[in-house]
Amino acid sequence: MGSDVLTERAWGSPSTSDPSSTRTTNGAHGLRTASDVTLPDPTPIIPYWSAKRHLTCGNAGPRSSSARLFPWRGSAPGKLKTANAALVLCLNIDVDPPDIIKTNPCAALECWVNPHSLPSHKALEAIGSNLQHQFEGLSLKIPYKPILDPSYEDLRRFCITLRKQAKDETVCFYYNGHGVPKPTPSGELWCFNRNYTQYIPVSLMEVQTWLGSPGVYIWDCSAAGHLLSNFITFAERRDQDAFTTRGGYADGMQPYMNSLQLAACATHEQLPTCPELPADVFTSCLTSPIDIALRYFIMTHHLPNNITPDMVMQLPGDLKDRRTPLGELNWIFTAITDTIAWTTFPRDVFTRLYRSDLLIASLFRNFLLAERIMKNYHCTPHTHPPLPATNTHQLWAAWDLALDTCLRQLPELLAKSPGAPSSPPSPIIGTGAHSGHISQRGSPGAPNTEKPYQYVPSRFFTDQLTAFEVWISRGGSALTKRGPLSLPLQNGGDRCDTPDVVNGTTSPDADLVPRKPPDQLPIVLQVLLSQPHRLRALILLSQFVDLGPWAVNLVLTIGIFPYISKLLQAAGQDLRPVLIFIWARILAVDPSVQVDLYNTGGFKYFANVLATQEDNELPNSSEHKAMCAFILSAVARDFYNGQMACWRERVFDACSKRLEEGDFLLRQWSALCIAQIWDSNDEVKVYGVDRGIQDKLILMLSDDSPEVRSAVLYALSTFMGAAGGKGQGGAGTGTQYQLEERIHFRMEVAVATAATLAVRDDASPMVRKELLVLISCLVREWRGHFVVCAWMYWEEDRRWRAGEPHTHYHHAEEEVTAQALAEWLDGFGDDEGSREENRVLLSSFFTIFVVLMELTIDPYHEVATLAQTVMDYIFALLLASPFAKLNLVPPLPVDYKPAGANGVHSRVSSAQGSPLIQHPPSPSLSRPSNTLRRTSSFANTLRHLAGGIPFPSSDEARAPPSPVPSSLSRSDILVASRPPSPNFNIAQYASPYSRPPTPSRDKERDMASPPVSPTAGTATFLPSHVIEALVEEDMVRLRARRREGAHGRRSAGSGHGHAGGSTGGGLNSPCESTFSMDSNVSNVPLGCGTGNGLRDVLPLKSSFFAWCCEYFTEPQMRQTEADEPGSVQYNYQVWRQQRNEQVITETQKQAIVAESSRWDRPVANLHVASHPLCMAMHAYDPHLVIANDNDMISVWDWTQRKRLNYFCNGNPKGTSITSLHIINQDVGGIIMTGAADGIVRLYRNYDPTMNQGPLQMVSSFRALHELIRVRRGSGLVLDWKQSGGTLLIGGDSRIIRVWDAHTETQVLDLETNCESPVTSITSDQGSSSTFIVGFADGLVKVFDRRLEEDDAIVRSYHDHHSWVQNVKYHPRINGQFLSASLAGEVRLWDLRGSDTAAQAWDLHHAGLSAFDVHSQTGVFATTSALTPANFRHQRLTVHSISDSSPLSTLSLPTGLNAYPSRPPTPYIPRHTSLAFHPMEMLYAVGQPDGSVKITGCKLT
């Protein structure tokens, strides 16, 4: 099956009613997880009308709380960026402070310099220089200013200068107070006087005043906790005063409490004096962590080979080179400390400290090491904000293992290194981060004949990747309840496990809780830096982000973005699939990264892939190119710079070429990408028109995929002015300056007309919704033409309802519209070309108007609601136009009802004289009146008058569509008024009038009446003048739009007004247009006041793009929950499949016996409301579906004799349900109904015992449009073929339409070549393309769909001479079928034989009522017709096809007290119903009194 046919590939979520729904799982790089290959199904069951589009109808689902984005870029109010740093050293070498008693020996090293080995001033300079280099190792971009033993004045001056230079950014203040007294409990630190004879206290209040906010403060001194705690006290006081007195700080300045602090110890603690450690151990941990970590490891661990600290300090390598031992240790240290922080700290704290600024991230990462080391020396470092303790984290064991592995190789590395040291390195200036480590020791001239030792890299990252892979393959993606392994709640925020409820139903995954991610996730990001591990890490990351938006957000929070951005510059072909996949996920979750892709030029990476012609360079080429199209459309969406960048990179051209690809997903996203690139962009629209893109898109409206058809309509809508993003939309196709004015006009009309005619009868409501968005664009820009069409429609409909058109009075009125059009066309003089052009254009508008009117009574609620919004806007304009003053005849009352029962679709308008259209269908609509002007919906009123059953509006209660029998309960009466609602019933009606406040009656009348010029009287103009004025106003609007584009491009997000610019005539915008006088014709009002007092409700907004984006937020690399072995849905389907196979096995055995057994075993008696006309039994579940003469459907469990559901079908009053089927019976079931209004409706979740949610309408569409009024019709007759997904539709029509459920399109129209309606259709359930049709005149014809339409009828049988009640294939013999007529004749035919019946039975001489054949055994059943002589009882005969004598004959009471003069519905010529069970040896008979008897075969 090709990709075009299997359109269910785009399923985003499984159906809750059909848990075995399948989807493709093509993921990044063609990868599949282990569960993907478990228990393959060689022939997967495809449940029709169960894809995501059927559950959502193109509406984006509500975002779950677990998918809400955490601000991964860092929260704006507290974001820090370090501008400069002050490194204050108060050492006063050789002079100990008075409050410090040093041990002997004692720690001496400061910044790895022994201050006593050099003169004091040189030692101080060396220490300052080393400190600066160590900080530069953390971040090179920041200027560091060492301030050595400063006086009070110097400190003040330097601090004030730093703040001036930093402006509003962060200042780093480092304070080393090892040579001054401890800070005081009141919050004072110490410096010197100019002569170094006194210690001068400096209050933290002063420091805060000098440095301002924000800042990062490092306190390296004993009792540093005094500084930290007092700083917080002073900061709180300052912030409170600022908010109390000034209402807050000036723009750009942050509160002092936003400052960060790192303190070496608590208030009562003293720094460690261990001689093996440096004196500034806290600073060493913060600025040279690898050096101090190596020393500490040697001190606490015993290693072989007598490894000494001096040897450790010679560890070769460079901190920046990850291929060397030292660089690898630094890399591992970064990964471990990042992971410890991410797994321990709250998400917002982690983001602020570790992902905002490089220096801050390095300091707080290294602080974890300081905490681990110093706590062993009774010293507790502190921070603000306070952080949980991490010194006992389990990953420190992995760090010790990495150090151990590296140091065990150290003797070999030193012995076999290329050079040998002439002497050990000096202990005075160590090998901190500033200087790197010596990789070549000794003289380079000393040769070494031994082979250099090959360093064995650590397995740390390999092992961590393996652990991450195990988590993905074995850990699963979600849990059923919250627990220790679930994703923790962040900061007490919204619960992640809140179920998503839509219309009272819970989404399939509502009970699932995201798992706690693996600890290795930050480590995986570090691995991206390594070339050998990069591909594996990316593949694992792609599998992780495939778990859902929560996983993408976690990865962004950790910091993947800078890594993944730089990888776009890599040239490796092997990285393409995973990079494309990951970027698609990122943009689907957070579209704001479009700016980053534009600024860095990263979008060019995807543009090049999309334009690549060689498919062999990329696995799953089509799907990855579709992802590229999605990424580029996200870059262009609502972003003018992104649009132009994509255009310049030839993305627009590449997408136009991809429109012809075989993969439907690529076609879909190519169209959507085009839509976003030319959305509100005149330059690109001009470019597209020059290349005929709009014509190419129109040709794609016959695509097999409903998603592609909807995407094409979405692209055409944005071309016509709909908003593809957040804007309002408008301005049509833009300027199109390269086209002449009339050509521009014709192009817009042609696009809308072609699209309307192509998809007006589309079976997918999602496609019809997108068509309405397109039509709304045309209505907004060319509203004058639509007002003319509405007036013509109204006048002709009023004339039709007023009486017979041939009467004298109405004969005079017949020519009103025709005469007005003729006079308007006469205004073009002798220019026949202009006359014909305008006539054709207005005819096109009228065609669209008629389709729009039909869509207002669409059976799918959302489609009807949107169409009502557009139609009411047109009617509101009509009521405000000069047409409202042309009171040619008195208006009819609003509640006038037409005589016809079938409403809009069963009448033919009397507008024979109209030059526009020969037979426009005319709905019942009353004359405009004050009463109608402020109703909630004119279209709703239309539906009332047409006899339809609309869905309930938000503010309007409705009455039942037909008289409700008194036997119904109160709940039944309530449900009888409305059909089931769709799953996502999101569309809202928008009134053209502003609701609150409601204007008074007089003001209302003034608003509704158009303003007229002083010289224009109420009746001084003719209809032709109004037509001319309205048409001219539309052209003025077009000229204003074109002039605006000629003077400059519209800015992004603007220009969404109707005209967008002022015109020479003072017309600012059509919403503000007023009447003016045409200079050529006197007393002609130019304009209709369009928009005065009306809301700006057009164009409609589409949610289709957001719905399509959801595809990239849903798992693609793993199976759905329903296909995952062990899940509840999977287990249910396995049980169901086994149960079905058991039923088939048992019934096959019973079928042989049943052909010769009696069929009179009572099974169940049910009583339904009203008259059961159509029945269908489920093949595997004990369900019986019954449709009665009140168009109500009931679902029964016949084993429990319990009614499961009861609902209204929604067909208009006067029509009936004439066909009833249950489809997808293998996996559940969907009820399919066909009614005499020509509409097919489908319902899911009809069994409440399954807890699948409320009953819902899955889809509905007009299966037959050309219904013919006949005296005795059959309504709509349908046959469903589950094996091929084929729907055959016939009835009161001269065609049989073939629908494909895969594509939701009509694939074939076959002429019946018969004047009688179709009464029955049956098709072989195998692979045959033939089907049999019975007609009302007794004809039986065999059709073959493979032949040409003229040759499709291959056989005709004429033995019957009356209405053929039913035709059925022989259940056991191929090529034979049975038929029965109302005359009581049953015939057996052989397709390979002659045109005469092979066998005949004349069972009911007084006539036959119902006939059916069992699908498994050679048995058929008939019921006798009711006659005046015999109406109290009815004879039922069960007969074997192979035997001449009946198997059983029953006399069934009808419960009638009098003979019914006519059947309960004009479309079904019988009083009873009969249906065999598809599998079991049962049949059901429905009687006129509402009783249903289920009878079985006596098998023993």
Side-chain angles (χ1 to χ4, degrees):
M1 187 175 293
S3 60
D4 286 347
V5 178
L6 189 57
T7 57
E8 272 66 17
R9 173 183 160 187
W11 296 354
S13 61
S15 166
T16 54
S17 64
D18 303 314
S20 67
S21 300
T22 58
R23 82 167 103 178
T24 52
T25 54
N26 297 328
H29 212 58
L31 297 172
R32 293 175 180 268
T33 58
S35 62
D36 288 326
V37 295
T38 306
L39 297 177
D41 189 355
T43 56
I45 299 171
I46 301 175
Y48 300 99
W49 280 286
S50 300
K52 180 185 175 181
R53 66 174 181 271
H54 301 113
L55 306 182
T56 60
C57 195
N59 294 305
R63 200 162 196 171
S64 64
S65 56
S66 61
R68 290 173 187 162
L69 281 180
F70 187 84
W72 56 273
R73 296 178 188 268
S75 54
K79 188 172 182 179
L80 302 176
K81 182 180 179 181
T82 308
N84 49 28
L87 309 179
V88 180
L89 291 168
C90 296
L91 296 179
N92 197 15
I93 298 174
D94 297 333
V95 178
D96 293 335
D99 57 348
I100 299 295
I101 300 176
K102 294 185 178 181
T103 61
N104 190 17
C106 181
L109 295 180
E110 298 278 355
C111 297
W112 306 105
V113 174
N114 187 343
H116 305 295
S117 62
L118 295 172
S120 59
H121 66 281
K122 289 189 177 181
L124 183 63
E125 292 176 358
I127 292 171
S129 176
N130 275 11
L131 181 63
Q132 179 178 354
H133 288 311
Q134 288 175 200
F135 268 94
E136 287 174 348
L138 303 180
S139 178
L140 271 173
K141 297 181 179 180
I142 300 172
Y144 300 94
K145 176 64 177 177
I147 305 175
L148 309 178
D149 288 348
S151 65
Y152 176 89
E153 293 78 9
D154 293 339
L155 182 63
R156 178 179 178 275
R157 184 177 70 256
F158 281 126
C159 289
I160 294 176
T161 303
L162 282 176
R163 172 46 63 191
K164 288 182 180 179
Q165 295 173 348
K167 298 181 180 178
D168 294 329
E169 294 182 342
T170 305
V171 170
C172 178
F173 183 81
Y174 168 85
Y175 174 74
N176 183 328
H178 296 175
V180 293
K182 299 177 184 177
T184 64
S186 60
E188 293 172 321
L189 53 85
W190 300 90
C191 62
F192 307 97
N193 63 358
R194 289 191 177 277
N195 298 324
Y196 296 95
T197 58
Q198 292 180 346
Y199 298 111
I200 307 297
V202 181
S203 173
L204 282 180
M205 288 285 286
E206 295 179 284
V207 176
Q208 288 179 348
T209 303
W210 300 338
L211 293 176
S213 178
V216 179
Y217 297 87
I218 304 171
W219 313 117
D220 187 357
C221 58
S222 297
H226 285 311
L227 297 177
L228 185 143
S229 58
N230 282 282
F231 187 96
I232 296 174
T233 303
F234 298 151
E236 289 177 342
R237 189 182 307 165
R238 284 178 178 272
D239 292 344
Q240 185 176 2
D241 292 344
F243 283 99
T244 302
T245 58
R246 302 189 300 274
Y249 291 101
D251 292 341
M253 184 174 179
Q254 298 185 27
Y256 283 87
M257 285 299 293
N258 281 1
S259 296
L260 306 177
Q261 299 182 76
L262 300 101
C265 57
T267 57
H268 59 282
E269 295 174 345
Q270 184 170 334
L271 293 179
T273 58
C274 177
E276 289 83 5
L277 294 177
D280 61 345
V281 61
F282 186 63
T283 301
S284 298
C285 290
L286 294 182
T287 58
S288 54
I290 304 301
D291 290 331
I292 191 66
L294 288 169
R295 281 178 175 263
Y296 177 74
F297 186 80
I298 290 297
M299 292 168 56
T300 56
H301 292 78
H302 179 71
L303 291 175
N305 301 324
N306 297 320
I307 298 177
T308 63
D310 290 340
M311 296 173 62
V312 169
M313 299 308 291
Q314 299 179 54
L315 183 68
D318 183 5
L319 286 173
K320 304 300 182 183
D321 188 353
R322 289 181 294 273
R323 295 169 298 181
T324 63
L326 187 63
E328 185 184 59
L329 284 179
N330 187 48
W331 185 27
I332 295 174
F333 178 79
T334 302
I336 287 179
T337 49
D338 246 13
T339 304
I340 291 175
W342 184 68
T343 55
T344 307
F345 302 155
R347 188 87 54 81
D348 56 340
V349 173
F350 175 84
T351 303
R352 182 170 181 237
L353 299 183
Y354 292 88
R355 293 299 179 260
S356 296
D357 181 80
L358 180 59
L359 176 62
I360 295 173
S362 299
L363 289 173
F364 276 88
R365 189 183 299 119
N366 300 340
F367 173 82
L368 305 183
L369 177 66
E371 182 185 29
R372 186 192 188 208
I373 293 177
M374 297 181 70
K375 277 189 174 182
N376 288 322
Y377 295 93
H378 309 290
C379 212
T380 307
H382 286 69
T383 63
H384 178 76
L387 299 175
T390 60
N391 59 304
T392 59
H393 197 281
Q394 59 189 7
L395 273 179
W396 284 121
W399 170 242
D400 290 339
L401 176 62
L403 288 176
D404 185 273
T405 304
C406 178
L407 292 179
R408 284 179 184 272
Q409 302 181 62
L410 182 58
E412 293 287 339
L413 285 172
L414 296 179
K416 297 184 179 181
S417 60
S422 57
S423 61
S426 171
I428 298 176
I429 301 179
T431 54
H434 57 282
S435 59
H437 282 258
I438 302 173
S439 58
Q440 291 186 351
R441 300 181 295 125
S443 170
N448 194 334
T449 58
E450 296 186 21
K451 184 179 180 180
Y453 177 76
Q454 187 68 31
Y455 175 70
V456 179
S458 172
R459 289 188 50 83
F460 172 79
F461 289 104
T462 303
D463 294 341
Q464 297 298 323
L465 287 179
T466 302
F468 188 63
E469 186 175 11
V470 169
W471 185 93
I472 291 178
S473 60
R474 296 288 184 265
S477 62
L479 302 171
T480 55
K481 62 182 179 181
R482 185 162 296 285
L485 295 180
S486 61
L487 187 67
L489 297 174
Q490 293 298 324
N491 306 325
D494 296 334
R495 290 182 58 84
C496 298
D497 55 342
T498 303
D500 303 324
V501 179
V502 181
N503 287 350
T505 181
T506 308
S507 63
D509 297 331
D511 295 331
L512 298 181
V513 179
R515 281 184 67 92
K516 183 180 179 181
D519 294 345
Q520 295 80 17
L521 191 54
I523 299 175
V524 174
L525 298 185
Q526 286 291 325
V527 178
L528 295 179
L529 300 172
S530 170
Q531 179 70 30
H533 301 294
R534 183 173 296 159
L535 179 59
R536 185 186 179 197
L538 283 174
I539 291 174
L540 292 175
L541 271 179
S542 66
Q543 293 176 352
F544 181 73
V545 298
D546 186 60
L547 298 180
W550 64 271
V552 177
N553 191 220
L554 280 178
V555 171
L556 290 174
T557 305
I558 292 168
I560 188 180
F561 195 74
Y563 296 84
I564 212 75
S565 297
K566 292 179 181 178
L567 287 178
L568 293 179
Q569 303 170 6
Q573 298 287 332
D574 55 342
L575 301 182
R576 277 188 172 185
V578 284
L579 283 178
I580 292 171
F581 185 88
I582 293 173
W583 270 102
R585 298 282 155 164
I586 292 175
L587 276 161
V589 173
D590 188 0
S592 67
V593 300
Q594 63 175 176
V595 179
D596 302 271
L597 276 179
Y598 168 76
N599 291 335
T600 61
F603 70 95
K604 298 178 182 179
Y605 184 91
F606 308 103
N608 294 333
V609 174
L610 185 62
T612 302
Q613 298 297 327
E614 295 78 9
D615 291 343
N616 55 358
E617 295 182 0
L618 194 66
N620 297 330
S621 174
S622 296
E623 186 166 2
H624 285 96
K625 287 180 180 178
M627 294 182 193
C628 290
F630 158 68
I631 293 169
L632 294 167
S633 67
V635 171
R637 191 182 192 197
D638 262 343
F639 186 37
Y640 175 77
N641 291 335
Q643 290 176 330
M644 300 308 293
C646 290
W647 181 37
R648 287 190 292 268
E649 287 296 317
R650 316 292 293 179
V651 173
F652 193 86
D653 297 320
C655 288
S656 65
K657 295 177 182 178
R658 301 299 176 195
L659 292 174
E660 302 172 356
E661 291 285 340
D663 186 274
F664 90 94
L665 192 66
L666 180 53
R667 298 198 305 273
Q668 172 188 342
W669 277 105
S670 296
L672 291 174
C673 188
I674 288 175
Q676 294 299 340
I677 293 176
W678 70 13
D679 174 34
S680 302
N681 193 311
D682 288 355
E683 295 97 320
V684 183
K685 287 183 180 180
V686 169
Y687 182 82
V689 169
D690 288 344
R691 280 148 186 80
I693 301 300
Q694 76 280 8
D695 297 329
K696 193 172 185 179
L697 290 171
I698 289 173
L699 293 176
M700 291 182 63
L701 290 174
S702 59
D703 195 278
D704 287 339
S705 168
E707 287 87 353
V708 173
R709 298 197 298 274
S710 299
V712 168
L713 286 170
Y714 182 87
L716 291 173
S717 298
T718 56
F719 175 69
M720 293 288 289
K726 299 177 181 178
Q728 172 62 30
T733 58
T735 60
Q736 298 298 329
Y737 53 81
Q738 83 284 12
L739 301 178
E740 296 180 5
E741 181 180 287
R742 296 297 297 183
I743 296 177
H744 187 179
F745 176 25
R746 291 201 302 269
M747 179 196 68
E748 291 193 358
V749 179
V751 168
T753 305
T756 301
L757 295 178
V759 299
R760 58 179 293 185
D761 295 327
D762 200 287
S764 173
M766 182 175 69
V767 176
R768 301 199 298 273
K769 278 175 55 180
E770 295 306 311
L771 172 63
L772 282 169
V773 177
L774 174 61
I775 293 177
S776 70
C777 298
L778 192 74
V779 170
R780 175 165 180 167
E781 297 305 318
W782 302 98
R783 70 198 71 165
H785 287 77
F786 279 100
V787 170
V788 173
C789 295
W791 172 75
M792 294 169 52
Y793 205 93
W794 203 313
E795 287 294 331
E796 294 176 2
D797 181 78
R798 177 183 56 80
R799 187 173 66 250
W800 178 87
R801 288 188 297 100
E804 293 298 326
H806 60 267
T807 61
H808 175 74
Y809 175 78
H810 292 285
H811 180 73
E813 299 297 332
E814 269 188 13
E815 303 298 328
V816 172
T817 55
Q819 181 180 354
L821 290 174
E823 291 176 356
W824 171 61
L825 293 174
D826 288 342
F828 295 98
D830 298 332
D831 190 348
E832 288 296 331
S834 296
R835 289 167 59 92
E836 180 63 18
E837 179 190 43
N838 282 276
R839 190 195 69 81
V840 171
L841 286 172
L842 192 56
S843 177
S844 299
F845 279 107
F846 197 83
T847 300
I848 297 174
F849 180 85
V850 169
V851 172
L852 183 60
M853 186 71 79
E854 292 171 354
L855 290 174
T856 61
I857 53 174
D858 192 273
Y860 200 84
H861 181 213
E862 284 201 300
V863 178
T865 300
L866 296 176
Q868 288 173 22
T869 297
V870 180
M871 184 58 70
D872 287 359
Y873 185 79
I874 298 174
F875 281 144
L877 294 176
L878 174 62
L879 293 174
S881 72
F883 280 125
K885 294 185 176 295
L886 296 174
N887 295 319
L888 303 178
V889 294
L892 294 172
V894 176
D895 58 352
Y896 180 84
K897 297 289 182 74
N902 293 338
V904 59
H905 303 293
S906 60
R907 293 189 282 105
V908 178
S909 174
S910 60
Q912 302 295 333
S914 172
L916 296 177
I917 193 166
Q918 292 298 319
H919 300 285
S922 180
S924 306
L925 193 61
S926 65
R927 182 78 173 154
S929 65
N930 290 336
T931 308
L932 192 58
R933 281 177 180 171
R934 287 295 182 267
T935 56
S936 63
S937 170
F938 297 109
N940 236 4
T941 303
L942 162 70
R943 294 164 67 118
H944 278 289
L945 299 178
I949 304 179
F951 288 84
S953 60
S954 59
D955 56 348
E956 193 173 36
R958 288 191 17 81
S962 59
V964 180
S966 59
S967 61
L968 295 183
S969 64
R970 182 176 182 86
S971 60
D972 291 344
I973 294 175
L974 181 63
V975 78
S977 64
R978 56 188 63 176
S981 173
N983 182 29
F984 276 18
N985 191 12
I986 294 177
Q988 295 292 327
Y989 168 77
S991 171
Y993 300 108
S994 300
R995 295 263 171 107
T998 304
S1000 64
R1001 196 175 195 81
D1002 295 337
K1003 185 178 179 181
E1004 184 178 294
R1005 187 178 300 110
D1006 294 340
M1007 289 176 63
S1009 302
V1012 286
S1013 60
T1015 59
T1018 302
T1020 57
F1021 51 84
L1022 299 175
S1024 60
H1025 296 158
V1026 181
I1027 296 175
E1028 179 182 354
L1030 291 169
V1031 171
E1032 180 59 26
E1033 187 187 28
D1034 282 350
M1035 297 307 297
V1036 169
R1037 190 179 299 108
L1038 175 64
R1039 295 181 193 118
R1041 190 205 314 167
R1042 291 168 62 86
R1043 275 200 301 274
E1044 178 193 9
H1047 290 89
R1049 179 190 60 79
R1050 292 184 296 115
S1051 62
S1054 65
H1056 295 301
H1058 295 276
S1062 60
T1063 66
L1067 181 65
N1068 294 327
S1069 121
C1071 279
E1072 302 168 358
S1073 62
T1074 55
F1075 286 96
S1076 58
M1077 302 303 297
D1078 194 336
S1079 59
N1080 298 325
V1081 183
S1082 60
N1083 296 330
V1084 175
L1086 177 59
C1088 66
T1090 50
N1092 287 344
L1094 299 184
R1095 293 172 59 198
D1096 198 14
V1097 297
L1098 300 185
L1100 300 173
K1101 289 281 290 185
S1102 172
S1103 61
F1104 181 72
F1105 186 84
W1107 178 81
C1108 292
C1109 291
E1110 288 182 346
Y1111 177 80
F1112 297 105
T1113 65
E1114 295 155 354
Q1116 304 297 328
M1117 294 189 189
R1118 62 183 177 91
Q1119 301 186 47
T1120 63
E1121 188 71 12
D1123 298 327
E1124 195 67 42
S1127 68
V1128 174
Q1129 297 178 35
Y1130 180 88
N1131 292 341
Y1132 171 75
Q1133 278 305 320
V1134 169
W1135 168 84
R1136 188 178 183 90
Q1137 184 176 359
Q1138 294 173 350
R1139 191 275 314 266
N1140 295 351
E1141 293 173 353
Q1142 182 179 359
V1143 170
I1144 293 173
T1145 303
E1146 292 177 355
T1147 53
Q1148 285 176 348
K1149 297 177 182 179
Q1150 296 172 1
I1152 301 174
V1153 181
E1155 290 189 16
S1156 57
S1157 302
R1158 294 184 59 81
W1159 287 70
D1160 54 2
R1161 176 175 60 90
V1163 175
N1165 290 329
L1166 310 175
H1167 189 80
V1168 301
S1170 193
H1171 198 134
L1173 290 181
C1174 298
M1175 296 190 300
M1177 301 186 78
H1178 198 288
Y1180 307 106
D1181 296 330
H1183 294 160
L1184 172 63
V1185 183
I1186 304 172
N1188 64 21
D1189 57 344
N1190 287 320
D1191 307 322
M1192 302 300 296
I1193 299 172
S1194 57
V1195 183
W1196 292 79
D1197 184 335
W1198 52 265
T1199 59
Q1200 302 293 328
R1201 297 171 179 81
K1202 177 184 176 182
R1203 194 178 75 180
L1204 301 176
N1205 226 316
Y1206 185 72
F1207 58 95
C1208 173
N1209 186 54
N1211 47 292
K1213 182 180 178 180
T1215 61
S1216 301
I1217 300 174
T1218 54
S1219 294
L1220 188 64
H1221 289 265
I1222 305 176
I1223 69 172
N1224 299 342
Q1225 298 187 32
D1226 290 328
V1227 294
I1230 291 178
I1231 297 176
M1232 175 187 289
T1233 68
D1237 59 352
I1239 292 174
V1240 172
R1241 298 170 175 85
L1242 299 104
Y1243 306 98
R1244 65 191 285 263
N1245 299 347
Y1246 60 80
D1247 184 2
T1249 63
M1250 296 300 298
N1251 298 321
Q1252 296 170 333
L1255 177 73
Q1256 296 168 352
M1257 176 181 284
V1258 179
S1259 183
S1260 56
F1261 59 96
R1262 188 169 301 282
L1264 272 184
H1265 202 278
E1266 301 82 7
L1267 290 177
I1268 302 172
R1269 285 292 300 273
V1270 294
R1271 185 180 61 84
R1272 189 180 179 187
S1274 61
L1276 183 141
V1277 179
L1278 65 87
D1279 178 78
W1280 168 249
K1281 187 173 183 178
Q1282 180 75 35
S1283 60
T1286 303
L1287 189 63
L1288 304 175
I1289 303 291
D1292 296 338
S1293 176
R1294 292 189 175 90
I1295 64 169
I1296 295 175
R1297 182 159 291 170
V1298 183
W1299 292 85
D1300 186 357
H1302 290 285
T1303 64
E1304 297 186 64
T1305 56
Q1306 59 186 58
V1307 295
L1308 196 60
D1309 279 352
L1310 300 176
E1311 293 285 344
T1312 62
N1313 294 338
C1314 184
E1315 296 298 322
S1316 298
V1318 172
T1319 60
S1320 58
I1321 306 176
T1322 186
S1323 58
D1324 186 4
Q1325 291 305 312
S1327 59
S1328 174
S1329 297
T1330 60
F1331 60 92
I1332 303 167
V1333 180
F1335 293 88
D1337 59 358
L1339 273 176
V1340 178
K1341 297 185 178 182
V1342 181
F1343 290 78
D1344 192 333
R1345 293 192 289 117
R1346 296 168 297 183
L1347 302 178
E1348 295 292 333
E1349 295 184 15
D1350 296 338
D1351 303 325
I1353 301 176
V1354 294
R1355 297 293 295 271
S1356 295
Y1357 302 97
H1358 303 80
D1359 280 17
H1360 292 297
H1361 301 289
S1362 62
W1363 184 292
V1364 176
Q1365 187 64 285
N1366 206 351
V1367 290
K1368 289 287 185 178
Y1369 271 98
H1370 194 296
R1372 320 256 320 162
I1373 303 176
N1374 291 331
Q1376 292 187 3
F1377 68 94
L1378 293 91
S1379 64
S1381 68
L1382 291 183
E1385 307 161 341
V1386 179
R1387 298 283 188 268
L1388 175 65
W1389 312 89
D1390 193 331
L1391 292 173
R1392 296 157 296 189
S1394 63
D1395 292 341
T1396 59
Q1399 191 173 351
W1401 297 269
D1402 191 0
L1403 301 177
H1404 303 283
H1405 299 286
L1408 178 143
S1409 178
F1411 166 77
D1412 197 12
V1413 179
H1414 200 287
S1415 60
Q1416 302 297 320
T1417 184
V1419 171
F1420 67 87
T1422 60
T1423 56
S1424 62
L1426 302 184
T1427 62
N1430 188 8
F1431 63 86
R1432 297 184 185 276
H1433 290 81
Q1434 187 178 37
R1435 185 162 61 93
L1436 180 143
T1437 302
V1438 180
H1439 210 290
S1440 173
I1441 300 176
S1442 59
D1443 197 353
S1444 59
S1445 60
L1447 299 176
S1448 295
T1449 301
L1450 303 178
S1451 179
L1452 305 177
T1454 63
L1456 296 176
N1457 296 322
Y1459 175 71
S1461 58
R1462 58 177 179 268
T1465 171
Y1467 300 99
I1468 300 178
R1470 52 181 166 80
H1471 295 81
T1472 60
S1473 53
L1474 171 66
F1476 272 107
H1477 193 285
M1479 302 299 298
E1480 298 186 32
M1481 305 302 118
L1482 300 171
Y1483 61 91
V1485 179
Q1487 295 295 332
D1489 62 349
S1491 62
V1492 176
K1493 292 180 174 57
I1494 301 176
T1495 310
C1497 176
K1498 290 183 177 179
L1499 299 173
T1500 57

